[in-house]
Every structure is written in structure tokens, then in C-alpha cells.
Amino acid sequence: MSKSGTFDLASGVGGKIEKKEVLSAVDKYEKYHVSYGGEEADRKENYTDMVNKYYDLVTSFYEYGWGESFHFAHRWNGESLRESIKRHEHFLALNLGLKRGQKVLDVGCGIGGPLREVARFSGTSVTGLNNNEYQITRGKTLNRAAGVDGTCNFVKADFMKMPFADNTYDAVYAVEATCHAPDALGCYKEIYRVLKPGQHFAAYEWCMTDSFDPSNQEHQKIKAAIELGDGLPDIRHTKQCLEALKLAGFEVIWDKDLAEDSPVPWYLPLDKSHFSLTSFRLTAMGRFVTRNMVKALEYVGLAPAGSQRVQMFLEEAAEGLVAGGKKAIFTPMYFFLARKPLSASETQDS
């Protein structure tokens, strides 16, 4: 069962970081980003440190607000947020054509919400790849609680340097995770290497869209807010992801920004004008309650110093995400399905 209480949130802030070091970690994390004078080159060079600090600091907030699956979803009218998140995960499994008994890799798995759902839905064995020790510890606990610890596991490693043999997995997927990679091509090449020939890779990518104007200062401010609040070295354009897939050797079966035809806007749970009892903690009122609760807990010493700062940059991220969604300059669900050819000659023929 996912942690959901106030004291779980307070005790979890900082993850594996010593509680007395949380404030210092917040300082170091923020300095990677544009708003604090940081440079893209530094974020890419130090992506492992930056992303690890980010998830140590924010995982308990994510779990408190979102549950076990930290991602957005295409959503139908009348569908709850939780229902849409599960369907979004099932959509991946169906597109990959998963079959019982197959070995599947989840690249950048978080605490394993999608991993457990995909495993139960498809009857597969799923390995979650994650470079954050705190999230892996939480994931193992949740796997045992869900009864999937016999078929699902976690490996601590960098997805730019995977510790797996060539041609190991029957399928690979990533849910809003490879956006943390400093180099899409390098990441996709590693996925290509560990995937069996003839098999598929599917992902939801965070991307800037054709509506994004690099010369527009407001657009750049929104992009920077998302990068700060979500631990990103940069946000690639959809075309860059597509090109990187092809250069890595994949055959792209199909791709689409699923946000374009979502009846319910993906950013609605974070929109301050929206209210929902079922996802109360994500609403403006819920975030107000959380903000003051974190302030009080930090004041009395139950939450480490720096917790309010984490809450603040997550709030900034939420504002950036909503603005990016409303202007259609950003999407968290650029979807693609790609296939690794059976042989090099097949690639040349195509």
C-alpha cells in the first residue's frame, strides 16, 4: 500500500539523504537550474547527481499526491484520474503485445506503480531499472505488499549504462522517465542493445511541441519552471526524440502526442481553477493545506529543514506544467512504439 499520511510525507522528505543534509541538498539541486543561474551543460554533465537529489527530495511528495504511479494520462470524460492512469499503463502493455511469461524492462521505474500494474495486467515478469536507492527500497516494499515480488524486481543502475547482456528483454517501456537522460540517442541505444531483435520499445516522453517558440521569453520561462520542478537537464522537442530513435536503429511503428485528443486536459488535476474530491491533494485547496502542513511540521522538527523549499519548487513546476499545457507548447505524453529489426540487413533494406 502506498504511503499516504501526513507523517509519512514528513518522514520521507529527503529519501536516503541524512535529514540534517536536506537543506544543503535543496541548495545544490536548485543551483543546477536556470532560475538560480544554472547551465544546461552542467545539468547534463551532472545528471546522475541532479536526478538523484531530485527524487530523494520529492518522492514522498509525489507518493502523497499521486499514489504509486507518478505520471499523467490521456483521460476520457467521466473517467477518474486513477482510472485514467491505469488505462494509460494498460495501453502500453497492449501496444507492446505483451504475453504471459515474457521478460520486460521498465526504464526509470520510480517506485514501481506502472511495473506492478503492467505485470498483473499482462502476466509478465517486469524488471524495474532505477538509479535512486530510496525509490527502489519503497518499490520492493510495495512489490511485497502487492504479492508480485516473485515475478518483479528492481535493479539499481544508470539507464545510460545498463548492466544487462545484449538481447535480454522481450519488451522495453518507459513512462515519463527517459526525459531525465542527458542524451536521448545514448539512452535509446542502450535500450536497443538490451532488447531482443524483432521486439518492441514503447514510451511516453516529456517534450516541447511544434507550438514552442525558443525566442519567446514566456515560453522559455515555462520550460525552465518545468525543468526545475521535475529534475530535467533539458526538455527535447518531439522531433528530436523521433530522430534519436531512428539513429539508434529502431523502426518507428507509430508515434503521436496523445495530449492532442484527450477529452479531459492532462493538466486538469493541477489547474487551480479545478476542484476534485477524488484527487483533492493535487487541487489548489489541497496544495494550500499541504503547504501549511509542511511549514508546521518543519517548524516543530518533524520534517527536515528544506522541506518547504521542496514544496515551493514543486508548486512552481505545477504552474509551469499547467501553463505549458494550456498553451500546448509542452506534452507529457508524446507516445511512440518502435521495433528493433531482426537483423542489420533488415534495417538497411527499410
Side-chain angles (χ1 to χ4, degrees):
M1 182 179 177
S2 182
K3 291 183 179 182
S4 60
T6 301
F7 292 103
D8 292 317
L9 168 60
S11 62
V13 176
K16 291 289 184 180
I17 300 170
E18 290 287 335
K19 298 306 178 189
K20 63 183 180 181
E21 300 296 329
V22 168
L23 183 58
S24 173
V26 174
D27 281 333
K28 290 175 183 175
Y29 172 75
E30 288 177 336
K31 286 175 182 174
Y32 279 122
H33 292 277
V34 173
S35 306
Y36 295 85
E39 299 286 343
E40 180 184 326
D42 290 333
R43 293 195 296 278
K44 288 184 175 180
E45 183 179 350
N46 300 289
Y47 73 95
T48 301
D49 179 67
M50 182 189 73
V51 175
N52 255 314
K53 278 188 172 64
Y54 175 75
Y55 279 112
D56 273 329
L57 293 169
V58 307
T59 293
S60 65
F61 281 96
Y62 272 26
E63 201 171 346
Y64 180 80
W66 287 96
E68 296 176 25
S69 293
F70 306 160
H71 63 83
F72 295 99
H74 176 284
R75 188 171 167 190
W76 296 107
N77 289 316
E79 189 175 39
S80 71
L81 177 61
R82 191 173 297 276
E83 288 168 342
S84 72
I85 284 173
K86 285 194 173 189
R87 183 173 55 77
H88 209 56
E89 293 162 358
H90 297 171
F91 181 84
L92 269 180
L94 290 169
N95 271 274
L96 287 167
L98 299 184
K99 297 179 178 62
R100 182 172 295 277
Q102 286 185 321
K103 288 177 61 178
V104 180
L105 179 65
D106 180 331
V107 177
C109 62
I111 61 173
L115 175 156
R116 286 181 288 278
E117 190 63 33
V118 167
R120 289 180 293 213
F121 180 74
S122 62
T124 53
S125 297
V126 186
T127 295
L129 184 70
N130 192 327
N131 210 18
N132 183 270
E133 187 63 43
Y134 176 68
Q135 288 197 333
I136 288 177
T137 300
R138 283 293 302 138
K140 287 179 178 178
T141 299
L142 293 166
N143 275 7
R144 288 192 294 271
V148 299
D149 51 316
T151 56
C152 297
N153 68 311
F154 295 89
V155 172
K156 185 181 185 303
D158 183 347
F159 53 39
M160 302 296 289
K161 296 170 284 191
M162 298 187 196
F164 308 122
D166 295 358
N167 309 323
T168 296
Y169 290 97
D170 298 300
V172 181
Y173 69 84
V175 182
E176 302 183 18
T178 46
C179 51
H180 292 293
D183 168 32
L185 177 58
C187 181
Y188 294 165
K189 279 183 174 179
E190 273 294 271
I191 290 168
Y192 184 94
R193 181 182 66 79
V194 303
L195 181 63
K196 291 179 180 178
Q199 301 305 312
H200 295 87
F201 165 44
Y204 296 117
E205 281 281 13
W206 280 34
C207 290
M208 306 312 293
T209 71
D210 287 340
S211 298
F212 174 70
D213 178 1
S215 66
N216 184 308
Q217 290 303 305
E218 185 184 7
H219 287 193
Q220 287 289 2
K221 185 178 178 182
I222 290 168
K223 179 174 179 283
I226 297 171
E227 289 167 350
L228 167 65
D230 294 283
L232 304 177
D234 186 25
I235 307 176
R236 289 176 278 274
H237 191 283
T238 54
K239 290 186 177 71
Q240 290 176 291
C241 291
L242 194 61
E243 183 64 18
L245 279 171
K246 294 174 181 176
L247 289 173
F250 284 106
E251 169 198 357
V252 179
I253 306 299
W254 74 281
D255 68 294
K256 181 178 174 59
D257 177 5
L258 300 183
E260 290 177 350
D261 60 1
S262 180
V264 177
W266 60 267
Y267 54 82
L268 189 68
L270 299 176
D271 191 338
K272 286 184 174 178
S273 65
H274 172 70
F275 181 81
S276 169
L277 285 175
T278 57
S279 53
F280 174 75
R281 290 173 177 175
L282 299 175
T283 64
M285 179 64 73
R287 279 148 53 189
F288 174 80
V289 171
T290 301
R291 185 164 57 249
N292 284 280
M293 175 188 72
V294 170
K295 183 178 180 180
L297 290 171
E298 185 173 329
Y299 179 77
V300 298
L302 291 174
S307 297
Q308 291 181 75
R309 294 261 295 278
V310 177
Q311 170 74 13
M312 285 171 63
F313 70 65
L314 288 174
E315 287 274 356
E316 186 174 343
E319 295 300 311
L321 288 165
V322 172
K326 287 184 174 181
K327 291 182 179 296
I329 62 172
F330 168 82
T331 177
M333 58 188 75
Y334 172 57
F335 175 83
F336 56 75
L337 177 67
R339 175 178 175 268
K340 179 177 178 177
L342 285 167
S343 64
S345 60
E346 184 184 340
T347 306
Q348 291 167 3
D349 292 341
S350 62

